[in-house]
Amino acid sequence: MWMAMRVVAALAVLVSAGVHLKLWFDGVRYQTVGVPFLFNAVGGVVIAVLLLTWRHWVPPFLALGFGLSTIAAFTIAATVGLLGDHEKWTGGYVWTSLIAEAVAVVAGGLLLLHDNPLRSRGELEHWPSVRRAHLN
């Protein structure tokens, strides 16, 4: 099940990366937001490959951060503007990317909960006793 969740996260990140690359080729590269669009496309591909090849908590963390930061950047661009660009919540590319990024956030978050590095080292079980010690 968890490998399937990694595939879902990887596909979600790839869809968002693909949308950004398509828009970059369609002319966004000539705007001030062009370079971040290209970084988003390349970063999405790297994160997707890491999700599928490296069983560690870092790739899910990157997928979660990728989704959150991309949604946040678009929200800023659609409300107050970003780097001189003011977007609108309209169009198929916008909604495709937003849905893919939301899926990346959920899948990355679930994988992080499952692949928690503290749990794998046994430290998570000691948290209640540590918390009690600080409360006394």
Side-chain angles (χ1 to χ4, degrees):
M1 173 185 153
W2 294 107
M3 188 58 195
M5 186 68 69
R6 283 180 171 270
V7 170
V8 167
L11 288 173
V13 170
L14 277 177
V15 167
S16 176
V19 167
H20 284 84
L21 186 62
K22 166 83 169 99
L23 293 173
W24 186 81
F25 278 118
D26 284 351
V28 172
R29 63 181 158 192
Y30 301 115
Q31 300 173 9
T32 54
V33 293
V35 173
F37 265 62
L38 187 59
F39 285 158
N40 191 294
V42 171
V45 171
V46 170
I47 292 168
V49 168
L50 289 174
L51 278 163
L52 298 175
T53 60
W54 187 24
R55 271 200 69 157
H56 196 268
W57 62 270
V58 171
F61 177 76
L62 293 174
L64 175 70
F66 176 90
L68 287 175
S69 61
T70 307
I71 290 170
F74 187 80
T75 302
I76 292 169
T79 53
V80 296
L82 180 65
L83 299 173
D85 188 39
H86 198 87
E87 287 295 326
K88 294 182 174 62
W89 289 96
T90 59
Y93 290 126
V94 169
W95 292 105
T96 300
S97 188
L98 178 67
I99 291 167
E101 291 149 7
V103 170
V105 168
V106 171
L110 289 173
L111 284 166
L112 264 181
L113 289 174
H114 178 261
D115 296 342
N116 189 324
L118 296 176
R119 182 179 2 181
S120 65
R121 292 190 308 221
E123 294 176 22
L124 200 58
E125 289 76 24
H126 300 296
W127 280 16
S129 61
V130 171
R131 194 173 346 151
R132 278 194 304 270
H134 287 290
L135 293 175
N136 293 336

